[in-house]
Amino acid sequence: MIFKRKIYEEMLEWKRESEGQTALLIEGPRRVGKSTIVKVFAQKEYKSHLIIDFANTSDEIKSLFGNLSDIDTFFSHLKIFTGKTLHKRESVIVFDEVQMCPQARQAIKYLVADGRYDYIETGSLISIRKNVENIVIPSEEEAIRMHPLDFEEFCWANDDTETFPFLREALSQKKPLSDAINRKVMRDFRTYMLVGGMPQAVSKYVETKDFAKVDRVKRTIIRLYEQDFQKIDKTGKAAAIFKAIPSELHKNSSRFQLSAIGESAKSQTISNVVSMMEDSHTVNVAFHADDPNVGLELGSNKAAWKMYLCDTGLFVTLAFWDKKFTENIIYKKLLNDTLESNMGYVYENVVAQMLAASGNKLFYYTWAAPGNHVYEVDFLLSRGFKLFPVEVKSSGYATHKSLDVFCTKYSKRVSNRYLIYTKDLRKDHETLMVPVYMVGLL
């Protein structure tokens, strides 16, 4: 199935604004739908197009990129090998899986300067050093990141175009939805959490409504990710960290504990692995903000971090990887809204996913509380000159002690404050209580 995706509008904006002055690089994890959206875009927005899939193309075509001293000869040979007709300023050439041919990526500089055609690149794990260490990264690239389907796109895939206009209006007016509507949207959102936003999983759900078949699709994707990590990190640390994500979030500790993977290596070694995993876009990493201020990146602690899967549907499957689908209690409990509080990490992962998909870098903050306890603000958003602290609850439980103490401690730095939970939209003094399905609208 081909789904309506928000990234299409970003691609249109690039085409209008760039006018051939830059190439568009679409990054994202494997199976997120990059190739599909680019193909649809090329077909709809150009008179003709040429797609070169570097994961499945001839050595003759790859060899063309070794010498671009004569651009006219390059294009004449390319047209002969592919049999494609291209029209000046009306055609696009797509480099699919461009990380498989670093020379093609390097050639973007000269192809864009030539100006005849538009260029779109797609890539997975594209920023990893081993793929680019021997080439000059072109400054003519304009990169955007593709995420799994968000909840609104999931609604579109299920022929629901009414829910989100209603939610936007309610949030803008800070107007409660009603218990009945909240229950209905929460049921849909719990389904989204289980299915996730990977297009193959969504397609299988739309076709069959069978969670067991959806789960098999997700397991295939997870195995691909694990194989990728094994290829790019021979030490096995990346794969071990990936597998440990659900258990580490379940512990509700203030950072990822390296002992979970039997690791006692130097922090710099792990820092490189985490950076590589973040570049892969298969995970979202939240760093501790040692100084919670609007310049969160400046005060972040790269040695203290939490990690989330890029897709909560994959997270649910990975959390019970060793169980058969019929024994996966998260499916049953989420669908029936009987998830115990110790499974709140599922909601934390989906909030991280939604915030990242909205363009936010992820940061969190912890500090000592009386009695050997720890206060924690799950996420910090930077807006203008102010911070928006976010606390996540996995239920309708509406207390927010950590949020209150943080806002008192840093009162001059804080503007909006949010408690994310499962009940209806409402205000509790200065705190806006936001249903979890609205996080992408914040």
Side-chain angles (χ1 to χ4, degrees):
M1 290 184 177
I2 296 176
F3 301 114
K4 180 182 177 183
R5 304 297 301 271
K6 295 177 181 178
I7 196 174
Y8 196 97
E9 291 302 317
E10 294 183 67
M11 296 168 72
L12 277 176
E13 183 180 2
W14 160 78
K15 185 175 185 289
R16 287 193 301 265
E17 298 295 328
S18 170
E19 295 184 335
Q21 298 301 304
T22 62
L24 181 64
L25 170 63
I26 300 179
E27 296 182 293
R30 293 179 71 181
R31 302 295 177 88
V32 81
K34 300 184 299 297
S35 299
T36 299
I37 196 68
V38 168
K39 182 177 181 180
V40 171
F41 186 80
Q43 290 173 339
K44 287 186 176 181
E45 306 300 333
Y46 291 90
K47 185 174 181 179
S48 68
H49 66 277
L50 167 61
I51 298 177
I52 304 174
D53 180 0
F54 286 110
N56 184 33
T57 195
S58 66
D59 290 337
E60 288 85 357
I61 289 179
K62 289 182 180 179
S63 68
L64 295 177
F65 295 92
N67 182 7
L68 268 73
S69 58
D70 186 341
I71 294 288
D72 290 334
T73 299
F74 167 82
F75 281 123
S76 65
H77 288 182
L78 184 64
K79 292 174 184 177
I80 290 171
F81 280 128
T82 61
K84 290 286 186 176
T85 299
L86 299 173
H87 307 274
K88 187 174 182 179
R89 300 305 315 136
E90 295 183 292
S91 297
V92 62
I93 299 178
V94 175
F95 294 166
D96 200 14
E97 301 293 355
V98 71
Q99 77 277 2
M100 299 288 192
C101 186
Q103 285 184 316
R105 189 178 180 196
Q106 182 171 254
I108 284 293
K109 176 181 181 65
Y110 308 102
L111 297 174
V112 167
D114 172 72
R116 264 174 257 198
Y117 314 115
D118 282 355
Y119 298 90
I120 301 177
E121 306 165 88
T122 75
S124 306
L125 306 178
I126 199 165
S127 298
I128 294 173
R129 294 180 184 89
K130 65 179 290 186
N131 288 332
V132 298
E133 58 186 6
N134 296 319
I135 71 169
V136 176
I137 302 298
S139 59
E140 293 77 10
E141 279 181 350
E142 186 173 333
I144 58 176
R145 179 177 172 184
M146 190 171 190
H147 298 267
L149 277 78
D150 65 18
F151 182 42
E152 184 172 13
E153 291 170 322
F154 182 79
C155 290
W156 294 342
N158 287 276
D159 295 324
D160 174 6
T161 58
E162 298 297 325
T163 294
F164 264 82
F166 178 82
L167 296 181
R168 283 191 176 88
E169 180 69 16
L171 183 60
S172 68
Q173 297 182 6
K174 307 294 188 293
K175 179 181 177 181
L177 308 176
S178 84
D179 287 341
I181 291 177
N182 180 69
R183 285 195 300 271
K184 191 272 180 189
V185 181
M186 275 303 307
R187 280 197 301 271
D188 294 341
F189 186 74
R190 290 195 298 271
T191 300
Y192 168 67
M193 290 171 70
L194 293 174
V195 174
M198 302 306 284
Q200 286 178 300
V202 176
S203 181
K204 185 61 68 175
Y205 174 75
V206 172
E207 291 172 358
T208 69
K209 299 297 189 290
D210 187 328
F211 285 111
K213 292 180 179 179
V214 172
D215 195 69
R216 282 196 290 273
V217 170
K218 292 189 292 177
R219 286 176 182 268
T220 300
I221 297 171
I222 289 172
R223 290 189 186 98
L224 285 175
Y225 290 175
E226 289 180 337
Q227 291 166 10
D228 283 342
F229 285 135
Q230 292 289 356
K231 291 176 184 176
I232 61 183
D233 173 38
K234 301 300 183 183
T235 69
K237 293 184 179 70
I241 290 173
F242 181 76
K243 291 179 182 177
I245 291 173
S247 61
E248 281 300 291
L249 289 179
H250 180 251
K251 293 174 185 176
N252 199 30
S253 59
S254 60
R255 68 175 68 188
F256 192 104
Q257 300 295 319
L258 295 179
S259 58
I261 61 169
E263 180 57 46
S264 58
K266 297 186 178 90
S267 60
Q268 186 59 43
T269 302
I270 293 298
S271 178
N272 291 337
V273 172
V274 171
S275 177
M276 176 271 295
M277 295 179 72
E278 192 175 23
D279 280 346
S280 78
H281 302 313
T282 57
V283 300
N284 295 311
V285 182
F287 291 101
H288 190 273
D290 288 352
D291 178 21
N293 214 327
V294 288
L296 289 168
E297 187 70 53
L298 297 175
S300 64
N301 183 349
K302 300 303 182 183
W305 44 270
K306 293 185 175 185
M307 189 174 287
Y308 306 90
L309 258 70
C310 69
D311 179 73
T312 302
L314 298 181
F315 179 90
V316 168
T317 296
L318 185 62
F320 284 80
W321 185 253
D322 296 328
K323 301 265 186 193
K324 294 180 179 178
F325 167 76
T326 53
E327 299 170 331
N328 192 325
I329 61 174
I330 286 186
Y331 276 86
K332 298 174 184 176
K333 290 183 178 296
L334 254 181
L335 283 176
N336 296 325
D337 195 22
T338 56
L339 197 69
E340 291 97 336
S341 60
N342 66 354
M343 289 186 182
Y345 56 91
V346 183
Y347 282 92
E348 190 176 342
N349 196 95
V350 78
V351 170
Q353 176 186 342
M354 296 165 83
L355 291 175
S358 299
N360 298 286
K361 295 202 71 173
L362 303 182
F363 301 93
Y364 69 103
Y365 182 62
T366 61
W367 70 106
N372 294 322
H373 296 293
V374 175
Y375 289 127
E376 178 171 346
V377 172
D378 295 303
F379 300 101
L380 290 172
L381 308 180
S382 179
R383 297 288 188 272
F385 297 102
K386 294 292 184 178
L387 292 177
F388 291 7
V390 177
E391 189 173 341
V392 181
K393 300 288 186 183
S394 60
S395 65
Y397 192 58
T399 60
H400 38 86
K401 180 67 174 178
S402 292
L403 202 59
D404 293 340
V405 174
F406 178 87
C407 291
T408 299
K409 182 179 176 71
Y410 297 105
S411 59
K412 294 182 179 180
R413 304 180 184 182
V414 171
S415 178
N416 298 9
R417 59 191 74 174
Y418 301 112
L419 179 82
I420 308 302
Y421 72 153
T422 60
K423 297 300 182 181
D424 199 358
L425 180 71
R426 68 181 180 87
K427 285 206 74 173
D428 181 16
H429 301 291
E430 297 301 315
T431 300
L432 186 63
M433 323 282 281
V434 180
V436 62
Y437 48 77
M438 283 187 176
V439 167
L441 303 179
L442 295 180

